[in-house]
Amino acid sequence: MNTNRLKKSIIKALPYVLMGFVCTNLGEAWRLAEGADASKKLLSFFSTLGPAFANPLPSFQPVDLLVGAICGGALWLAVYLRHKNAKHFKHNQEYGSARWGTHADIEPFMDPVFQNNVILTQTERITMSNRPKNPANARNKNVLIVGGSGSGKTRFWLKPNLLQMHSSYVVTDPNGYNLGG
């Protein structure tokens, strides 16, 4: 392990270790507290906090070290869970901002052989293969085309994909304009 990684690891662990050392004094205060049951020990605990924290050094009694380790570990766990469940923001972008996809975004979903794709636009396609090279790129093959009349749904999407003849299609044409004679 190189020195930079070691230094970063020590710096990351330092707050938890320091918190553990401070909590050893809490363990010492509990150990010094008098009382037979928990309620009497708790009342006495608050009076022993002063003497326990009077010494700035941590207590090295095994029980006190265990209390410190548990407190340091609990702090680490709380920070870890908070970070794990946090929203991961993009820097210099508003949260929830969206953008149009680019050719580089859809490229992993395209088959290199043109005929093995569903044509989406002039430059973008999606593979018809059920088992792409990277399983993470497997997607649903259903396509829904929505557009106003005259927007080019038939001319630019339906007819080019029907002419590919590489899969089964269900096409409804109530007017009979596209499929009829």
Side-chain angles (χ1 to χ4, degrees):
M1 180 184 269
N2 62 23
T3 57
N4 285 339
R5 288 183 63 194
L6 181 63
K7 187 188 295 185
K8 286 182 182 180
S9 298
I10 291 172
I11 290 172
K12 282 184 179 180
L14 192 60
Y16 310 114
V17 172
L18 291 176
M19 178 61 120
F21 282 150
V22 168
C23 287
T24 60
N25 292 343
L26 290 175
E28 181 181 8
W30 184 260
R31 188 172 40 85
L32 295 176
E34 296 176 3
D37 59 349
S39 62
K40 290 182 181 176
K41 196 157 180 104
L42 186 62
L43 288 173
S44 178
F45 170 75
F46 292 112
S47 64
T48 59
L49 278 176
F53 279 97
N55 183 4
L57 297 175
S59 171
F60 289 106
Q61 293 288 329
V63 175
D64 301 344
L65 288 174
L66 179 64
V67 169
I70 289 172
C71 290
L75 177 65
W76 175 85
L77 183 64
V79 170
Y80 172 76
L81 291 175
R82 175 77 175 166
H83 175 72
K84 182 181 176 198
N85 297 329
K87 294 179 181 177
H88 297 287
F89 295 103
K90 295 179 181 178
H91 295 289
N92 300 325
Q93 288 185 357
E94 181 180 347
Y95 181 73
S97 62
R99 64 176 176 81
W100 289 103
T102 63
H103 182 72
D105 294 328
I106 200 167
E107 194 169 22
F109 304 103
M110 291 194 288
D111 194 303
V113 179
F114 183 82
Q115 290 79 9
N116 296 339
N117 293 296
V118 172
I119 302 168
L120 299 176
T121 67
Q122 187 174 3
T123 57
E124 277 73 32
R125 309 176 296 281
I126 190 167
T127 183
M128 285 299 298
S129 172
N130 288 332
R131 296 181 186 233
K133 292 178 185 175
N134 183 358
N137 295 338
R139 293 290 182 262
N140 188 329
K141 309 300 186 280
N142 296 328
V143 178
L144 172 67
I145 306 299
V146 179
S149 60
S151 63
K153 299 178 298 291
T154 303
R155 180 176 179 196
F156 296 112
W157 191 86
L158 180 67
K159 286 184 179 178
N161 280 297
L162 286 176
L163 291 173
Q164 291 267 96
M165 292 191 294
H166 57 56
S167 58
S168 300
Y169 288 91
V170 175
V171 179
T172 58
D173 187 15
N175 294 333
Y177 176 76
N178 295 314
L179 303 176

